[in-house]
Amino acid sequence: MDLSLDDVCEFINGGAWSDDEYAGDGIRVVKVTNMKNGTISDEALDHLPVSKYEKYKRHELRPNDLVVATVGSHPNQPGSVVGRTSRIPESFRGAFLNQNAACLRVKRPDLVDQRFLCFLSETILFKHHIESRARGSANQVRMAIGDLRQFTTSYPPLPTQRKIAAVLAAYDDLIEANRRRIALLERMAEEIYREWFVRLRFPGHATTQITKGIPTGWHVKKLREITEYYIGGGWGEDDASTSFSESAFVIRGTDIPKLEEGDFESCPYRFHKPSNLKSRTLQAGDFVFEVSGGSKDQLLGRNVQITDQLLKHLGAPVMCASFCKQIRFDPQQVSSNFMRFFLKLYYTSDLVGIYQIQSTGISNYQFESFLTYQTLLIPPVELRSQFDSIIKPIIESKDLLSVSTIKLRRTRDLLLPRLISGKLPVEDLPIAFPPSMANAGE
């Protein structure tokens, strides 16, 4: 029997509170910008004060709720927002949903499994429904809730739905576990950097003399003094031609957060002039540094270290985009791993904004001034080597987890349409339910 979403779900609209109601902590708010990779990202979260709970509690989210973005760019645009779906993880229980999104919660659990509904929302059938009904310009379209309610399909028997959900949820659980381990490894490495080179509690600090804040044997240098090579990036062309004959991946500023999270597959593949690519091919240990673009809420200066595993996985040359700079530091003075955490801390501390200027709606970074005036404290070679010996295995483990996650996601994405459509039957298979479904009372 065919059922519409209106038949089986209740719809909860996102809340429309004002920006001045936000607080430093309290109730987490899920915005469309937090919807990433089918789940919710905890980056740049806003909060409502706990005192607002009663006023806005109708927007409270539960684990496994399906959230659908109803406003954004058109679905056929790269990085589209409207129609994007995310499942609320257990860690976001009690968060509130903001406007421009709707929460779908099954009201007929005797007919439809909530977790199955989340996977159904990832199918071509569901996405086509959104695409055919989204209204507006390419950059700003809206999906009417009434149209969303009309999405109609047939559902397999409930036990079959749960088995399908169990198979796909097992992959999601592994992907989520890898994501948490990646984040934990990055925090571990960052904390070691902070302990040694910010708090100056490095090995042997108790017996090291410090004069005017500088330990004996350490040196203050400007970035330009330790930079071996830098160059602006390029963009190339979509298609190969006589002039643009060399192919390479391109890292944009928007790709940097994804690469930091272990997503090695977001970079576009384009064609370039041989001379441009030759001078801009990234090597392990190089950095991509964003110098133009941005927005009032997004500082420039996002950066990412290029690692061996990233280059190996892509299997082709890589260069940075025209709004970025490629930087290569002198390995005799600083290691790439040391600079990885210096640049990351510099960005997360908002110090990077000192060199940013805004004009005609676009931000630009005063990169030459950054190199000329920005200083850093460089430890002795022995301490740098000791730091590298500890940090290198952590970064390698993080990258291997990223590659493992990519393989898991590919397998999951291949299985999903075959399972949902019934082409891969599961009725007679003894499928164990993963812990995440058991914890949800399923």
Side-chain angles (χ1 to χ4, degrees), residues 123-238:
T123 61
I124 293 296
L125 182 66
F126 186 88
K127 294 182 185 302
H128 176 70
H129 180 85
I130 299 288
E131 185 172 345
S132 63
R133 288 162 176 80
R135 298 289 182 265
S137 64
N139 294 325
Q140 185 72 15
V141 298
R142 180 176 294 275
M143 173 68 184
I145 297 295
D147 287 336
L148 185 58
R149 290 175 181 273
Q150 293 172 13
F151 173 75
T152 301
T153 189
S154 59
Y155 293 85
L158 197 58
T160 302
Q161 292 180 43
R162 287 175 174 161
K163 283 190 174 185
I164 291 171
V167 173
L168 297 172
Y171 280 93
D172 280 351
D173 289 355
L174 290 171
I175 291 169
E176 177 61 19
N178 279 359
R179 189 193 68 80
R180 290 196 300 267
R181 292 171 66 190
I182 287 169
L184 178 61
L185 287 169
E186 185 71 14
R187 285 198 298 271
M188 285 172 52
E190 184 179 344
E191 183 58 25
I192 293 171
Y193 175 87
R194 287 175 179 270
E195 185 72 2
W196 288 24
F197 305 123
V198 178
R199 304 182 189 108
L200 296 182
R201 292 200 285 261
F202 51 87
H205 73 278
T207 57
T208 300
Q209 185 177 354
I210 296 180
T211 305
K212 296 182 178 179
I214 300 176
T216 300
W218 294 45
H219 302 281
V220 176
K221 291 199 173 184
K222 295 176 179 176
L223 280 179
R224 192 177 294 279
E225 296 179 85
I226 62 169
T227 300
E228 183 177 272
Y229 178 77
Y230 67 97
I231 191 171
W235 185 232
E237 300 286 344
D238 288 330

Side-chain angles (χ1 to χ4, degrees), residues 1-9 11 66 104 106 108 110-121 123 125-126 148-162 164 419-422 427:
M1 179 175 63
D2 287 350
L3 297 168
S4 70
L5 288 179
D6 199 33
D7 293 328
V8 298
C9 291
F11 286 71
L66 173 63
L104 279 63
V106 168
R108 291 294 307 273
D110 57 319
L111 296 175
V112 176
D113 178 80
Q114 178 72 38
R115 196 70 182 264
F116 178 86
L117 178 70
C118 294
F119 291 120
L120 176 65
S121 73
T123 61
L125 182 66
F126 186 88
L148 185 58
R149 290 175 181 273
Q150 293 172 13
F151 173 75
T152 301
T153 189
S154 59
Y155 293 85
L158 197 58
T160 302
Q161 292 180 43
R162 287 175 174 161
I164 291 171
L419 288 168
I420 297 289
S421 66
E427 289 84 355

Side-chain angles (χ1 to χ4, degrees), residues 380-393:
V381 63
E382 297 83 4
L383 192 56
R384 299 200 307 267
S385 297
Q386 190 175 354
F387 177 74
D388 278 346
S389 68
I390 296 171
I391 296 301
K392 185 179 178 182

